[in-house]
Amino acid sequence: MTTAPVPRSAPDADDVPVLAEPAPAGPVRRFWAVRRIPAALLAAVVLGGAGLLLYDVAAVRADRSAMAWRRELADGLATRPLDDTWVVLGAALAVVLGVWLLVLAATPGLRAVLPMRREHADVRAGLDREAAALTLRDRVMEVSGVQSVRVKVGRGKVAVRAVSHFRALDEVRADVETVLAAGVEELGLARPPALTVRVARPPRKG
């Protein structure tokens, strides 16, 4: 007795594995500095001042005399006029410290790190400006005729000064610009910087 083969049905659409595509990357923003030192200093000052003031208030509540510094401070604030030199200096110092803290809170910092393009939404990468400058310098040194080169990488600009000891300067500059354009593209920066190239002859000796 023979049995006929059972035909296999086509796999259901729900059973077919689907490869997940990477999520689209969001806008690229600069890296924010942690600023541990200013935060630690501010926390220490606030904690020390609050603790000292709380101790003095508790001592007064316990029928003890207030500390001398608090009595002198209260008397000075009550008797000194607003245009007194020390009052103006103290107010100016408080304003400067407040503006400094606001600037630190509102600005990202980490100017030495350049954000790179985001291929995935959950991955962020940055490139140090000195490392980018060194990479571009090595690329420029491969150009024929370049004797020495200095590369300065800023947040939005790359300044290159090359010294060429042979070949026409226009040809060297064109090759340097081509190499730099390719090198900047390979760096994968989120915002490609503008290029400024200067090529000169070496200074004459004597």
Side-chain angles (χ1 to χ4, degrees), residues 132-147:
L134 183 60
T135 301
L136 296 178
R137 176 186 176 278
D138 293 341
R139 295 292 300 271
V140 175
M141 286 299 298
E142 297 176 357
V143 176
S144 177
V146 174
Q147 183 180 17

Side-chain angles (χ1 to χ4, degrees), residues 30-114:
R30 290 177 56 191
F31 289 86
W32 282 74
V34 180
R35 295 189 172 102
R36 293 186 177 90
I37 296 179
L41 292 178
L42 179 61
V45 171
V46 172
L47 182 61
L52 189 60
L53 183 61
L54 182 61
Y55 174 80
D56 191 44
V57 171
V60 173
R61 292 293 182 179
D63 296 333
R64 296 182 181 179
S65 60
M67 292 184 179
W69 66 269
R70 194 158 73 94
R71 293 197 304 268
E72 293 179 0
L73 179 61
D75 294 340
L77 292 177
T79 57
R80 287 180 183 271
L82 295 180
D83 57 351
D84 185 77
T85 303
W86 290 107
V87 175
V88 174
L89 290 177
L93 180 61
V95 170
V96 170
L97 290 177
V99 171
W100 177 61
L101 292 175
L102 289 176
V103 170
L104 291 180
T107 55
L110 288 182
R111 300 173 61 89
V113 179
L114 301 175

Side-chain angles (χ1 to χ4, degrees), residues 121-176:
D122 55 348
V123 177
R124 293 189 64 192
L127 181 63
D128 187 77
R129 280 161 50 174
E130 293 184 0
L134 183 60
T135 301
L136 296 178
R137 176 186 176 278
D138 293 341
R139 295 292 300 271
V140 175
M141 286 299 298
E142 297 176 357
V143 176
S144 177
V146 174
Q147 183 180 17
S148 62
V149 62
R150 290 187 300 175
V151 179
K152 183 178 180 180
V153 177
R155 288 174 51 192
K157 182 179 179 181
V158 175
V160 179
R161 294 184 178 182
V163 175
S164 175
H165 56 297
F166 70 93
R167 294 182 65 196
L169 295 182
D170 293 339
E171 297 179 359
V172 176
R173 183 181 298 106
D175 292 346
V176 169

